[in-house]
Amino acid sequence: MLHLLAQTPALPLDEAGKYVAAAYGVFVTILVVYVAIIGARFARVERELNELADMAEEHDELGQREPEHVA
Amino acid sequence: MVFGNGLRALALVTAAALALAMGLIFFYAPLEADQGFVQKIFYLHVPLAIVALCGWVAGGIFGIQLLRTGDRKWDYRSYVAIHMSLIYGVAVLLTGSIWAKASWGHWWVWGEPTLVSFLIVFLLYCTYQPMRFSIADPEKQGRYAAVFAITAGAFVPLNFMAVRLATPLVHPRVFTRVAGDLPGSMRLTWLVSLVAIALLFVTLCKLELTSKSAKDNLRRLRRRLEARDEAAAERAFVGAN
């Protein structure tokens, strides 16, 4: 791997390098921010799903207790 | 509606394509004689712009499908294609401005039809979301958004053609019949980059669709569970009396 990297041409990171780095940096930043937003959204979905699971369990418990109460 | 099928495989293919594209851009494609290293932005900026424009057109096509079939999944697809193209549009404007500063010495050139026309299309689509979410009724919202998507989507190719017919001021026209075309290695790199950026677009759209559909399904489930709870409470109250 190191041998392969040594064979690759050096990147001319002079004056132009900062513009190229900025352009690709913008792209990566937008991508990372977007993925973070989607991640936060999925975390919210997971929280809501847990709430609904609790709600369903409570409902089932209520359903089991209900006939005894009526009787 | 299930949108997440095959998402993992698609994400892996996208990651591989992006890695390959980056490798080709920085270690395979030769330096351009006129612009030098700055031209590397071309492999990012141009595919982003093409995919963004195609995404807006796709949003219009999905809008047509919604009006034809009435199926809500087309509304989701139209919305997500336009939404993702807006994000790509931000990247196009920023990377384009950086490239402009590096090669022309200005962040923005108002006399250049290519730049201004893209900005007009971008601003047009910026009105899509406020328009969409100002309508409360989901049925109406979908239909009105579809009409917007179709009208604006038809404007995109017209605008593109008008720009091609206009005289360029400083923005280069790379893919033309009259001017010199790209050499093989640059063309290959550009094509791989285009495929990678397009795959990324599809992957992110699928991710967004999955998230949106999961959220909507959760809302439906919550409504049903709450209705069941209310009914159970009512039954318990009647039973107690």
Side-chain angles (χ1 to χ4, degrees):
Chain A
M1 187 65 189
L2 283 173
H3 179 69
L4 186 72
L5 281 173
Q7 297 284 312
T8 55
L11 296 174
L13 298 172
D14 49 12
E15 178 65 18
K18 65 181 183 190
Y19 290 110
V20 176
Y24 281 84
V26 161
F27 173 66
V28 172
T29 306
I30 289 175
L31 197 60
V32 168
V33 168
Y34 180 75
V35 170
I37 291 169
I38 285 281
R41 226 186 277 171
F42 274 114
R44 204 183 314 143
V45 165
E46 191 193 18
R47 266 200 314 274
E48 277 186 42
L49 199 57
N50 284 341
E51 262 176 48
L52 289 185
D54 289 346
M55 201 191 271
E57 273 170 22
E58 272 172 35
H59 177 87
D60 285 349
E61 280 170 20
L62 204 78
Q64 279 168 358
R65 252 183 280 143
E66 206 178 298
E68 290 166 22
H69 177 81
V70 172
Chain B
M1 276 176 285
V2 177
F3 292 106
N5 288 342
L7 186 57
R8 185 190 294 188
L10 187 63
L12 288 173
V13 171
T14 304
L18 278 172
L20 177 65
M22 292 302 149
L24 288 176
I25 291 167
F26 290 107
F27 300 111
Y28 173 69
L31 285 183
E32 205 250 358
D34 180 39
Q35 294 198 27
F37 193 56
V38 167
Q39 187 262 351
K40 298 285 181 195
I41 300 174
F42 161 82
Y43 301 108
L44 178 69
H45 172 72
V46 181
L48 279 172
I50 290 174
V51 173
L53 292 172
C54 289
W56 281 321
V57 174
I61 294 168
F62 295 148
I64 293 173
Q65 286 294 95
L66 172 73
L67 295 184
R68 273 186 62 229
T69 62
D71 191 340
R72 288 270 294 158
K73 77 174 180 215
W74 296 111
D75 182 37
Y76 278 93
R77 285 180 177 153
S78 177
Y79 165 75
V80 169
I82 291 171
H83 174 76
M84 202 53 64
S85 290
L86 266 173
I87 296 170
Y88 265 48
V90 172
V92 171
L93 291 171
L94 291 175
T95 56
S97 281
I98 293 167
W99 193 9
K101 178 68 181 166
S103 61
W104 308 329
H106 299 281
W107 293 105
W108 190 264
V109 180
W110 283 107
E112 175 54 55
T114 317
L115 273 66
V116 177
S117 71
F118 190 88
L119 182 67
I120 291 170
V121 173
F122 176 79
L123 291 175
L124 171 68
Y125 277 99
C126 281
T127 63
Y128 173 81
Q129 295 202 344
M131 186 282 293
R132 188 185 168 98
F133 295 114
S134 65
I135 303 163
D137 178 23
E139 281 287 314
K140 225 184 223 182
Q141 187 190 79
R143 264 186 291 122
Y144 284 22
V147 172
F148 181 103
I150 295 163
T151 317
F155 175 69
V156 171
L158 287 176
N159 186 59
F160 181 79
M161 279 188 275
V163 169
R164 295 295 281 192
L165 292 171
T167 315
L169 184 66
V170 281
H171 195 286
R173 301 267 191 274
V174 179
F175 302 101
T176 60
R177 286 185 198 140
V178 284
D181 217 342
L182 280 176
S185 52
M186 284 185 172
R187 184 191 288 266
L188 174 71
T189 306
W190 183 78
L191 282 173
V192 171
S193 189
L194 179 65
V195 170
I197 297 285
L199 277 172
L200 180 67
F201 183 87
V202 177
T203 307
L204 293 179
C205 278
K206 242 176 145 32
L207 198 62
E208 178 85 34
L209 280 168
T210 309
S211 142
K212 225 175 142 42
S213 144
K215 213 172 101 185
D216 284 4
N217 283 337
L218 267 180
R219 205 177 296 152
R220 273 174 43 209
L221 194 59
R222 181 182 288 276
R223 268 204 299 266
R224 288 198 68 167
L225 275 174
E226 280 170 355
R228 263 176 54 179
D229 271 1
E230 273 171 31
E234 217 166 277
R235 271 202 310 274
F237 179 74
V238 170
N241 292 310

